[in-house]
Amino acid sequence: MPGAKLLRLESSLAFFNVSALTSRITAELHELLSLENLDKNSIWQAMVLDFSCTPWVDATAAAELLETVRAVQNHHGYPIVLCHCNAQCMEVLLNAGMCDGAIPSKHVFHSVHDAARSIALGKVTRARESEGAPPRATEAGQANKEDSSPPAAP
């Protein structure tokens, strides 16, 4: 998949195995930023986490994963997108603060194909490139309501 690094989890994500995923994310980023990679055409623009084989996520794993995602995006600006996430996994990730600076809803896709298409079309950009930019319109032509809605009342 040109322009993207695809990581597919093939198990549930729990406190006892989340470090394998976070270590892999970090290793892929270090490889991308290494001096040996400067002249290669295989440099990726975004990382895709494919949850199609992940039936559930526990809260501890979700928190650690999102902490790693925030660190990658805050320090390096590379976006990490999510696809094929079932309802249970999504609920746990949202409760752990997924949309609070980790993976915005516009970076959550139904399939790997949708994620790759958005990356190829330039709809998924590095965090530093999109700072201060107005919200993008969705494919239906409507403004992203997440960015423009007022905060919920307590």
Side-chain angles (χ1 to χ4, degrees):
M1 176 173 15
K5 174 60 83 172
L6 175 65
L7 297 181
R8 184 173 78 188
L9 295 91
E10 295 190 354
S11 71
S12 297
L13 190 60
F15 68 93
F16 55 83
N17 67 355
V18 68
S19 62
L21 175 59
T22 58
S23 296
R24 179 68 186 269
I25 290 170
T26 304
E28 292 292 346
L29 182 66
H30 286 299
E31 182 181 330
L32 172 72
L33 300 174
S34 73
L35 292 176
E36 294 120 17
N37 212 11
L38 289 178
D39 61 348
K40 293 183 180 176
N41 292 329
S42 63
I43 295 176
W44 48 270
Q45 310 301 315
M47 182 178 288
V48 178
L49 298 180
D50 179 2
F51 271 50
S52 61
C53 296
T54 305
W56 59 268
V57 175
D58 75 18
T60 303
E64 188 172 333
L65 172 62
L66 295 176
E67 181 180 321
T68 300
V69 169
R70 283 186 195 94
V72 166
Q73 295 183 137
N74 291 338
H75 296 296
H76 304 289
Y78 284 94
I80 296 179
V81 304
L82 183 64
C83 68
H84 280 292
C85 192
N86 69 34
Q88 188 279 337
C89 294
M90 183 61 71
E91 181 178 355
V92 173
L93 289 167
L94 287 170
N95 288 339
M98 182 176 82
C99 291
D100 299 333
I103 303 174
S105 61
K106 67 181 180 179
H107 289 175
V108 177
F109 299 95
H110 291 287
S111 68
V112 172
H113 175 78
D114 292 343
R117 184 173 183 267
S118 291
I119 292 165
L121 293 173
K123 293 181 179 181
V124 175
T125 59
R126 293 177 62 164
R128 293 181 184 134
E129 292 173 2
S130 61
E131 287 176 0
R136 292 182 177 206
T138 62
E139 288 185 13
Q142 299 173 343
N144 187 347
K145 294 178 184 177
E146 176 184 289
D147 297 331
S148 61
S149 61

